[in-house]
Amino acid sequence: MEKISEAFEKVKKHQAVEKMKMLVGMEVEDEEAAASTAEDSSFGFVDDFNRNCTLSTKQRLYGFAICLAAGFTCTCLSMLVFFNPIKFGIAFTLGNLLSLGSTAFLIGPKRQLTMMLDPVRIYATAIYIASMIIALFCALYVHTKLLTFLAIVLEFGALIWYSLSYIPFARSMVSKVLFACFDTEF
């Protein structure tokens, strides 16, 4: 009877892990089955890369948490140097890159790129990545505080617009609210 209850507990834990995988968008299949499928596939470069770079669910969650915490820390620490736009731009952009990269641990880099290049958010993604590059360029090479500050403002706006692209109808709602607020007709 004790063995049956232990087996039942293992099944419950496995079901909870499977539900968590589904919640974060990961593929739901046994890790052993995934390993055997990878061994049966052709031996191309991409297959070798995928086989050698697979992470367990626990490793993915640890990577996500560490990357997200590091990004959040960089973003918060950037507030300490807010009045020095060059240092602020570097720390803020590094925090954004780490936070953006953290989701790649959960859903995988291929799926994240597919989602980022989705026609619904391709322009938001392009503007967001371009604004990060511009902010780093202004901070590291131009060393102009005014241009760096303007690039940071652009990056922050692009971050908000990019984030809103993942919420259904959020961008259209924000656009309507802003248009209503700044409408000059009475």
Side-chain angles (χ1 to χ4, degrees):
M1 188 69 171
E2 191 173 303
K3 289 183 179 182
I4 294 173
S5 63
E6 288 176 12
F8 184 69
E9 289 297 320
K10 286 182 182 180
V11 168
K12 281 176 50 177
K13 287 179 184 178
H14 182 69
Q15 289 174 345
V17 169
E18 295 298 320
K19 286 181 182 179
M20 186 177 68
K21 284 182 180 181
M22 287 175 43
L23 180 67
V24 297
M26 293 173 58
E27 294 179 14
V28 180
E29 62 178 297
D30 294 333
E31 292 174 8
E32 295 86 15
S36 67
T37 305
E39 290 174 2
D40 294 340
S41 64
S42 64
F43 293 102
F45 174 75
V46 175
D47 293 331
D48 287 341
F49 181 77
N50 286 336
R51 185 172 42 251
N52 293 330
C53 293
T54 56
L55 298 174
S56 70
T57 304
K58 189 175 185 179
Q59 290 170 332
R60 286 177 184 262
L61 291 174
Y62 281 149
F64 168 74
I66 290 169
C67 226
L68 186 65
F72 185 71
T73 302
C74 282
T75 303
C76 289
L77 289 177
S78 71
M79 299 302 167
L80 296 175
V81 291
F82 180 74
F83 294 108
N84 185 348
I86 295 171
K87 290 180 182 177
F88 177 77
I90 293 169
F92 187 74
T93 303
L94 181 63
N96 282 338
L97 286 171
L98 285 169
S99 298
L100 184 65
S102 69
T103 56
F105 280 102
L106 285 181
I107 61 176
K110 182 180 177 182
R111 185 164 179 214
Q112 178 164 351
L113 282 176
T114 303
M115 290 174 65
M116 289 173 71
L117 299 176
D118 189 41
V120 173
R121 66 183 60 88
I122 185 90
Y123 297 116
T125 301
I127 292 170
Y128 181 48
I129 292 173
S131 67
M132 285 192 281
I133 292 169
I134 291 169
L136 286 175
F137 180 77
C138 290
L140 294 173
Y141 295 109
V142 177
H143 296 292
T144 305
K145 290 183 178 183
L146 179 64
L147 284 177
T148 305
F149 180 74
L150 291 174
I152 291 167
V153 170
L154 175 69
E155 180 180 348
F156 187 71
L159 169 65
I160 291 172
W161 197 252
Y162 173 78
S163 299
L164 288 175
S165 73
Y166 283 92
I167 304 170
F169 305 110
R171 292 190 298 180
S172 63
M173 182 181 67
V174 169
S175 296
K176 289 177 183 177
V177 168
L178 288 176
F179 184 71
C181 289
F182 295 112
D183 189 17
T184 57
E185 296 179 19
F186 291 105

